[in-house]
Amino acid sequence: MADPAPSLINLWRAHLADNRRRSLHTVRAYVATAERLTDFLSDHWGERPGAAQLADVTQADLRAFLAARRGDGLANRSTARELSAIRAFLTFAGEQSGSNGSAPRIKGPRIKRSLPRPIAPDDIMALGDAMASRDAPAWVQARDWAVLLLLYGAGLRISEAMGLTGAVLPLGETLRITGKGNKQRVVPVLPQLREAISQYAALAPFDLSPGEPLFRGTRGGPLSPALVRRAMMNARRLLGLAEDATPHALRHSFATHLLAGGADLRSLQELLGHASLSSTQIYTQVDAAHLLDVYENAHPRA
């Protein structure tokens, strides 16, 4: 008898990539979760499940799977992500079986939402000097600084910066960004950011034509986000910054500093590309935490 699960997994992979336009990282994670679930249910039920069987998964089945995953050392946050992927996969399986069912309702673990710690503006600007002091070609130094300044100066996600093409050149006063869910937004381009990207473009040894990636690796292919994270890691160690000074922390800093400067939440929501205001409201807590730090460190009565 043919094994039905691999064909369903392949359909799931194609659905995520082609229909939902998920990132490669998300596709890999969601497919890996689907494979783990079907492997577990094969042992749990004694047979390999297809779409029809997956449409009949119960709360007890899911609790048993999650208990096994927790036994593997899965933390609360990772368990919540796993459960989200499972719900999406089981809903897809129900649609494939013709039942149009959804995943059983099961409460996920409680997640304590951590507050991102903003990086001081002076420390962010010092990153440019750190980039220039590395033993790397001048165009690579200019490239890495341009990417990091995009994250802080325009509040981009690293995936959004990597998705830019030569079509954005020459930069004007605004930049149109395609974010999550293909949602587009317009962000302002500060003079310092425009200068940094222009300098990189002038030094880059590759053709930055409209159909090609703007940011390139040393062999000419698209720049990997891992290289950006490595450049940030080396710079923060050189400057003695905290380990949580990551590329994503630059986007957090963009939001926090704007809010501290008087930006309203709705405008900040648009600039960040958040689908809902609730995602943006966390920055009101960040700003309060930052002010408390300043108070405790500076006030003579603190």
Side-chain angles (χ1 to χ4, degrees), residues 12 15-16 20 30 83-93 103:
W12 175 231
H15 171 73
L16 291 169
R20 301 298 301 276
Y30 274 43
L83 184 55
S84 177
I86 288 169
R87 288 185 180 120
F89 174 60
L90 291 179
T91 298
F92 174 77

Side-chain angles (χ1 to χ4, degrees), residues 291-302:
L291 290 176
L292 185 59
D293 283 345
V294 172
Y295 173 83
E296 290 179 342
N297 290 327
H299 197 284
R301 298 293 183 182

Side-chain angles (χ1 to χ4, degrees), residues 15 18 165:
H15 171 73
D18 300 335
T165 70

Side-chain angles (χ1 to χ4, degrees), residues 4-16 31 35 89 92:
S7 60
L8 181 64
I9 296 293
N10 289 336
L11 287 172
W12 175 231
R13 180 184 289 108
H15 171 73
L16 291 169
V31 168
E35 290 173 337
F89 174 60
F92 174 77

